[in-house]
Amino acid sequence: MKETISWAFSGVGTSVLVGLGSISIAIGVYLYKMRSHRIQEAFEKYDNLYERGGHRLKCLIPSGIHCLKSDREIKHYFQLVMTIEPHHPLRQWKGRIEKIGYKKFFDHVFKSGLALDKESIEGFISDLER
């Protein structure tokens, strides 16, 4: 036991611990950058589609919202969307979709192959609320 403790605080032990900490931080930074890149790329596609006259709800799937990896990423994406479109129509279903989970909802919409619009959204939500 004494040998383990003295090894941990020796130069070798400290180097190993610092090395592991550095690797952990580097992995965290890399994952953060990848997440930020996915969100920004989807938002830029949405913005481009919307500027070219796209329908607000119909722009979500083609922008790649279903490619985002978690509810957290999708919430961040929507924060960006709200900067250019503060009254996005999806807001009226926000509470119900949050209960289902954004990721689960948009994966379901994508897999259906149907367009996301005001008429279809209620059906998608009902499918998942069962």
Side-chain angles (χ1 to χ4, degrees), residues 2 6 8 11 38 44-45 58 61 88 94 107 129:
K2 223 177 191 183
S6 66
R38 278 192 304 273
E44 287 173 7
K45 286 180 185 174
K58 290 182 181 176
I61 297 297
H88 194 280
K94 180 182 177 196
D107 283 349
E129 285 179 331

Side-chain angles (χ1 to χ4, degrees), residues 79-116:
Q79 288 173 345
L80 294 173
V81 167
M82 295 301 167
T83 64
I84 61 169
E85 197 176 0
H87 302 292
H88 194 280
L90 197 63
R91 289 177 53 177
Q92 61 187 310
W93 292 281
K94 180 182 177 196
R96 290 173 69 196
I97 294 172
E98 280 183 341
K99 283 182 185 176
I100 294 166
Y102 286 113
K103 180 68 178 151
K104 184 176 180 179
F105 176 78
F106 285 108
D107 283 349
H108 180 68
V109 173
F110 176 72
K111 289 174 185 171
S112 77
L114 301 173
L116 184 64

Side-chain angles (χ1 to χ4, degrees), residues 22 30 51 84-85 96 117 127:
S22 297
Y30 173 76
E51 283 181 1
I84 61 169
E85 197 176 0
R96 290 173 69 196
D117 55 32
D127 288 348

Side-chain angles (χ1 to χ4, degrees), residues 16-28:
V16 168
L17 293 174
V18 169
L20 289 174
S22 297
I23 290 169
S24 169
I25 290 169
I27 289 171

Side-chain angles (χ1 to χ4, degrees), residues 61-91:
I61 297 297
S63 74
I65 193 169
H66 61 284
C67 296
L68 299 176
K69 305 247 182 236
S70 67
D71 286 359
R72 183 177 171 192
E73 287 186 17
I74 293 171
K75 283 182 181 181
H76 188 105
Y77 167 91
F78 273 120
Q79 288 173 345
L80 294 173
V81 167
M82 295 301 167
T83 64
I84 61 169
E85 197 176 0
H87 302 292
H88 194 280
L90 197 63
R91 289 177 53 177

